[in-house]
């Protein structure tokens, strides 16, 4: 297994075992449920946005290890960023897991999220990795519900 793949496995295991920001949020300004029926991932993303800045973000629900770890790392990543920055990073993240953006050779803002590059090897799991981001986007744009289908 390559070093990148090992890192990917470790990060996913760690975040799946101890998801960060895994809690409901009483004072959320934005909430959205998201579902990926293909896998059974079912989560809710909460955000508190003030003056276009993401002050706090959290999630609840259940899903496979890729979905849970992606949600966990997403919450760590977007906290403190602007909604625009979060959306830009999501666009890059999505292109990376589809294999359209090589985070090692092309400019990007992904940082630690690069570990999800390995998902491109498993096309059936791309929706698991992107569901938390789609759901955050849904929350920020006040969508009622997000489904990957
Ligand atoms: Zn899944």
């Amino acid at each position: 297994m390559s070093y990148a793949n090992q890192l990917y496995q470790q990060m996913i295991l760690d975040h799946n075992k101890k998801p960060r920001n895994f809690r409901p949020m009483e004072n959320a300004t934005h909430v959205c449920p998201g579902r990926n029926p293909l896998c059974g991932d079912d989560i809710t993303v909460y955000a508190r946005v003030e003056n276009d800045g993401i002050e706090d973000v959290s999630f609840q629900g259940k899903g496979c290890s890729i979905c849970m770890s992606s949600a966990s790392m997403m919450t760590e990543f977007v906290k403190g960023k602007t909604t625009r920055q979060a959306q830009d990073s999501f666009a890059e993240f999505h292109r990376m897991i589809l294999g359209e953006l090589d985070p090692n050779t092309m400019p990007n803002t992904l940082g630690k999220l690069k570990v999800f590059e390995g998902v491109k090897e498993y096309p059936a799991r791309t929706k698991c990795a992107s569901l938390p981001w789609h759901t955050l986007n849904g929350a920020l744009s006040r969508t009622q519900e997000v489904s990957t289908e």
Side-chain angles (χ1 to χ4, degrees):
M1 203 188 284
S2 70
Y3 175 70
N5 266 330
Q6 282 179 26
L7 192 66
Y8 163 70
Q9 300 277 3
Q10 273 172 20
M11 289 282 254
I12 285 182
L13 287 175
D14 178 55
H15 278 264
N16 182 45
K17 204 158 61 177
K18 291 176 294 185
R20 321 299 198 266
N21 303 301
F22 186 72
R23 54 183 159 80
M25 195 189 298
E26 297 261 320
N27 57 352
T29 54
H30 298 69
V31 183
C32 188
R35 247 183 272 140
N36 172 18
L38 282 179
C39 178
D41 305 314
D42 190 347
I43 60 170
T44 298
V45 172
Y46 304 83
R48 194 173 79 245
V49 177
E50 279 166 34
N51 301 322
D52 220 36
I54 301 173
E55 299 285 318
D56 197 9
V57 57
S58 68
F59 77 107
Q60 280 272 279
K62 52 186 182 347
C64 67
S65 56
I66 293 184
C67 175
M68 297 303 272
S69 57
S70 177
S72 173
M73 288 186 70
M74 176 190 78
T75 60
E76 284 194 319
F77 184 83
V78 302
K79 200 185 281 194
K81 296 205 161 53
T82 66
T83 56
R84 180 60 200 266
Q85 285 172 325
Q87 279 156 348
D88 287 349
S89 293
F90 174 38
E92 293 175 0
F93 182 81
H94 203 232
R95 288 177 57 217
M96 175 181 72
I97 61 178
L98 293 176
E100 296 169 6
L101 182 151
D102 180 347
N104 303 305
T105 60
M106 296 160 75
N108 66 82
T109 61
L110 294 169
K112 278 202 267 181
L113 299 175
K114 277 188 213 170
V115 293
F116 285 95
E117 188 195 1
V119 173
K120 74 180 183 204
E121 313 285 339
Y122 311 94
R125 312 313 292 276
T126 55
K127 286 179 176 176
C128 301
S130 63
L131 178 68
W133 289 91
H134 278 300
T135 309
L136 174 67
N137 242 353
L140 296 177
S141 58
R142 302 205 180 278
T143 305
Q144 298 291 319
E145 190 182 8
V146 166
S147 173
T148 54
E149 281 195 328

